[in-house]
Amino acid sequence: NPFLDGIQLPLVSSKLQSCFEEAWPVILQAVALDAMPVKLDEKGLSKITVENMSKSSLISGYSMVELECEDYRFLWGFALIVVFQGQHLVPNKQRIGLGSAKAKFGGDSPTEEMNPLGLKLYEIVLPVFQFLSTESFFTAGFLTMNICQELLQVFLYSICMDNSWNSLAISVLSQIVQNCPEDFLKSENFSYLGMELCLAYLFKNFQR
């Protein structure tokens, strides 16, 4: 609390601004990377299952951060804000700052150092959505159908606006479809939205 109170002072925040702009993408990805719900094993998964997940499906090989539902919703909401910041930039109005940072693009891809002009906001947050769309968060009930549908609607709009979203957005969709409960796929709204996103992806590729 003293730190949070202190950085709201104009003098302090002005001195730390460049540090925040450099650090927030790395911090966001680090918190989301291989995160797990708190006490997942008490939700129906045995300790052996959790250990197997850590070794096989986790990028780092470890369960890095345990998130409460409130923490999870905060990270998800912040990532959505970053997406909208990238899509709706108002001239002469400051957006979320972005300094030189190292970003990881999900999967086994290497960490790549980017300059402020080379690193786009979607390249930061789409891997975060991948990290937060693992089976464990569906099992714990953190990731609901409404949240997934909202994200797919954002992806559909973004793909129509910018070709660079295509592959990363589809990779998140693929992970959601693989990990979501079967009830999600039985919902017409969810299924149609997923198919519409796939068709938009194919159309954009053929158009190019």
Side-chain angles (χ1 to χ4, degrees):
N1 286 333
F3 174 75
L4 295 176
D5 291 338
I7 61 176
Q8 296 183 52
L9 299 174
L11 179 61
V12 177
S13 61
S14 64
K15 297 293 184 183
L16 294 178
Q17 184 70 30
S18 60
C19 297
F20 290 150
E21 291 180 355
E22 180 178 349
W24 77 259
V26 182
I27 294 174
L28 177 62
Q29 288 195 348
V31 173
L33 173 65
D34 291 341
M36 300 276 282
V38 172
K39 299 179 182 178
L40 176 64
D41 52 341
E42 296 181 4
K43 292 287 185 178
L45 293 179
S46 66
K47 291 183 179 180
I48 296 177
T49 304
V50 174
E51 290 175 359
N52 290 339
M53 289 172 61
S54 298
K55 293 178 181 179
S56 62
S57 62
L58 301 178
I59 296 174
S60 65
Y62 300 94
S63 174
M64 302 292 285
V65 178
E66 292 187 349
L67 298 175
E68 298 278 359
C69 186
E70 183 178 355
D71 301 326
Y72 178 87
R73 295 291 172 84
F74 174 80
L75 288 176
W76 188 276
F78 180 78
L80 276 179
I81 289 175
V82 175
V83 170
F84 286 121
Q85 286 278 343
Q87 290 293 329
H88 303 285
L89 296 181
V90 179
N92 301 322
K93 198 162 188 178
Q94 186 177 6
R95 66 176 185 180
I96 295 176
L98 182 60
S100 178
K102 291 183 178 180
K104 184 174 180 60
F105 298 101
D108 298 325
S109 60
T111 301
E112 182 177 353
E113 186 167 356
M114 307 290 291
N115 58 43
L117 297 179
L119 185 60
K120 296 182 179 180
L121 292 176
Y122 72 85
E123 294 173 328
I124 298 169
V125 296
L126 287 182
V128 172
F129 286 124
Q130 282 187 296
F131 301 148
L132 297 180
S133 300
T134 58
E135 185 178 0
S136 61
F137 289 114
F138 282 105
T139 303
F142 286 14
L143 201 50
T144 65
M145 187 184 302
N146 288 338
I147 292 176
C148 290
Q149 287 184 182
E150 180 183 52
L151 181 64
L152 296 185
Q153 288 172 341
V154 173
F155 285 170
L156 185 60
Y157 171 78
S158 301
I159 281 183
C160 294
M161 295 292 292
D162 186 353
N163 286 328
S164 55
W165 280 76
N166 285 357
S167 58
L168 288 173
I170 289 297
S171 66
V172 178
L173 170 64
S174 175
Q175 182 162 325
I176 289 176
V177 170
Q178 291 179 47
N179 294 330
C180 72
E182 189 175 347
D183 292 343
F184 284 32
L185 302 178
K186 293 180 180 179
S187 167
E188 289 187 359
N189 290 338
F190 181 83
S191 298
Y192 287 155
L193 191 57
M195 288 189 288
E196 189 174 2
L197 184 58
C198 289
L199 289 174
Y201 169 72
L202 292 174
F203 176 75
K204 296 289 280 188
N205 279 336
F206 290 141
Q207 193 178 43
R208 292 167 60 190

